[in-house]
Amino acid sequence: MTGPQTQSVVRVAEADVLRGFALSGVLCVNALLMAGPYTVYGDGPAAGMLDDVAAWLVSAFVAGKFYPLFAFLFGYAFVQQMRACRAEGMAFGPRHLRRTATLFALGLLHAVLLYAGDILTTYAALALPLYALREASARLAIRAAAALVVVLSLVLLSYGLLTVLTTGPSPAPLHGPAVADTVAAYRGDAVSVIEAHLHALPTALSTDLLYAPQVFAAFLTGLAAARLRLLERYGRDRRRLRATVRRCLPLGVAGGATTAVCTNGPLDERWFYVGQAVGVTTGPVLTAAYACGLLLWLSRPGGGGGRGAAVLAADGAAVADPLSDPVARAVRGVHRRRPGVVRPGGRGGGGRGVCGAVRGAGGRE
């Protein structure tokens, strides 16, 4: 294999660490959502002040901040897989379609059996237009992503302001009766639980359709970043990482707090979509601050992260690898050597930063 081909299929350790980090944030949000139907609102019958505070903090600083990072890395991995196929002389289209079909099947099973608010089916659906734009330049992808975010934000803001101006505050939570029915179904047998999930699917689907432009914008941003090899070139550039954190963190925190004020109080439910519009616009900014802050911490002199970096990288790789191409991986078997990680300056095992942390903690290549 030639030098350029080797570079094109090299595994990027920073991407695995960030993917594991994104999964941690998604887990935090889903833990709140799946703890009970009331907990997402923070005002169930047994909720106290601590529950309300926890829900507010999750809305401000976690919800909507980590799945954009996961979607960004989906777009990044899409380009990496395309490069790997070309380097190996394989057709990328069939491999991508197999991966998409696997995602959709897993997402459908998850939505019916476990949790109606599934995202994998949305990823599978959006992976098809992403394939259609596989040759798009980085500039075109960024412009399209920005347009999608702006349009979605304007739609949410317009609807939210219209709701505030034309309706009055409700005397009681609007979600109360529906949530009570869901609680009763969850306390029944397996059939009643599945029926509750099926009943919730239309609402979940409409929500997925509404926010699909934001997910696809993250896909396109990841595609553009991979075209520029952003993580490989700047994943350990402490000056750039520090500058990004300083610029993005204040705006992201302010936007997150505004979103929580609108969605979790003290403003009433009429302000929900106004808060969502702010979140769609500023959430990715806080996401960038989180990601760059993590890479900055891991790339500090002497290496950093230790076991934490190894765990995040292992989790990120575990998600990316089995779904990259289930058929091809089964045919090739488990004895084929996995691609190596990117190391600073192309050196061997003496690398520091993210890769050094993963290797030093016993992480696999």
Side-chain angles (χ1 to χ4, degrees), residues 31-48 51-52 55-56 173-184 186-187 263-264 269:
L32 180 65
L33 293 174
M34 300 180 73
Y38 285 106
T39 55
V40 65
Y41 303 101
D43 59 357
D51 298 294
D52 294 337
W56 196 96
L174 298 176
H175 56 268
V179 174
D181 292 340
T182 303
V183 170
Y186 283 169
R187 289 175 175 170
T263 59
N264 290 73
E269 291 181 340

Side-chain angles (χ1 to χ4, degrees), residues 264-284:
N264 290 73
L267 297 179
D268 59 64
E269 291 181 340
R270 298 175 301 159
W271 292 88
F272 177 83
Y273 285 105
V274 174
Q276 291 297 293
V278 175
V280 167
T281 306
T282 63

Side-chain angles (χ1 to χ4, degrees), residues 289-356:
Y290 286 164
C292 291
L294 176 63
L295 293 177
L296 186 65
W297 177 60
L298 292 174
S299 64
R300 67 188 188 274
R307 289 287 179 183
V311 169
L312 291 177
D315 289 344
V319 172
D321 286 349
L323 297 181
S324 61
D325 188 1
V327 175
R329 290 183 65 84
V331 171
R332 294 173 187 172
V334 297
H335 299 294
R336 178 172 179 175
R337 185 180 183 275
R338 291 176 59 188
V341 296
V342 171
R343 299 184 178 87
R347 297 188 184 93
R352 296 179 296 174
V354 175
C355 302

Side-chain angles (χ1 to χ4, degrees), residues 5-326:
Q5 288 177 322
T6 302
Q7 176 64 21
S8 67
V9 296
V10 164
R11 189 176 197 96
V12 182
E14 287 83 355
D16 284 338
V17 173
L18 289 175
R19 192 177 293 108
F21 179 60
L23 283 174
S24 301
V26 171
L27 175 63
C28 179
V29 176
N30 285 351
L32 180 65
L33 293 174
M34 300 180 73
Y38 285 106
T39 55
V40 65
Y41 303 101
D43 59 357
M49 180 178 295
L50 289 179
D51 298 294
D52 294 337
V53 171
W56 196 96
L57 291 175
V58 169
S59 294
F61 305 117
V62 185
K65 313 303 185 297
F66 286 88
Y67 84 80
L69 177 58
F70 196 77
F72 167 89
L73 293 167
F74 185 95
Y76 206 101
F78 172 83
V79 175
Q80 289 182 307
Q81 291 162 13
M82 185 163 54
R83 288 172 179 159
C85 284
R86 289 175 177 174
E88 297 175 8
M90 296 174 57
F92 177 63
R95 179 178 184 178
H96 182 68
L97 289 177
R98 287 194 295 267
R99 184 191 191 206
T100 299
T102 302
L103 282 176
F104 188 84
L106 289 175
L108 189 61
L109 288 173
H110 180 255
V112 173
L113 299 178
L114 297 176
Y115 176 55
D118 174 76
I119 193 64
L120 294 182
T121 51
T122 302
Y123 274 42
L126 295 178
L128 298 178
L130 181 65
Y131 179 78
L133 294 174
R134 63 191 181 279
E135 301 298 340
S137 65
R139 177 175 297 182
L140 176 61
I142 289 295
R143 288 179 176 177
L148 288 171
V149 170
V150 169
V151 170
L152 177 59
S153 299
L154 290 177
V155 169
L156 292 172
L157 182 61
S158 300
Y159 182 79
L161 291 177
L162 185 64
T163 301
V164 172
L165 294 174
T166 59
T167 62
S170 58
L174 298 176
H175 56 268
V179 174
D181 292 340
T182 303
V183 170
Y186 283 169
R187 289 175 175 170
D189 56 16
V191 174
S192 69
V193 172
I194 292 177
E195 288 178 347
H197 291 162
L198 292 174
H199 183 266
L201 278 181
T203 301
L205 178 60
S206 63
T207 302
D208 289 344
L209 289 175
L210 177 61
Y211 290 97
Q214 185 184 21
V215 177
F216 195 62
F219 281 8
L220 292 175
T221 305
L223 182 148
R227 286 260 187 267
L228 301 173
R229 298 186 184 272
L230 201 65
L231 291 177
E232 294 93 326
R233 293 168 61 188
Y234 303 120
R236 296 184 68 252
D237 189 330
R238 294 182 58 80
R239 181 180 63 83
R240 289 179 182 270
L241 293 173
R242 190 180 294 110
T244 301
V245 172
R246 288 175 177 172
R247 292 172 183 170
C248 294
L249 190 61
L251 177 59
V253 168
T258 302
T259 299
V261 166
C262 294
T263 59
N264 290 73
L267 297 179
D268 59 64
E269 291 181 340
R270 298 175 301 159
W271 292 88
F272 177 83
Y273 285 105
V274 174
Q276 291 297 293
V278 175
V280 167
T281 306
T282 63
V285 178
L286 189 54
T287 299
Y290 286 164
C292 291
L294 176 63
L295 293 177
L296 186 65
W297 177 60
L298 292 174
S299 64
R300 67 188 188 274
R307 289 287 179 183
V311 169
L312 291 177
D315 289 344
V319 172
D321 286 349
L323 297 181
S324 61
D325 188 1

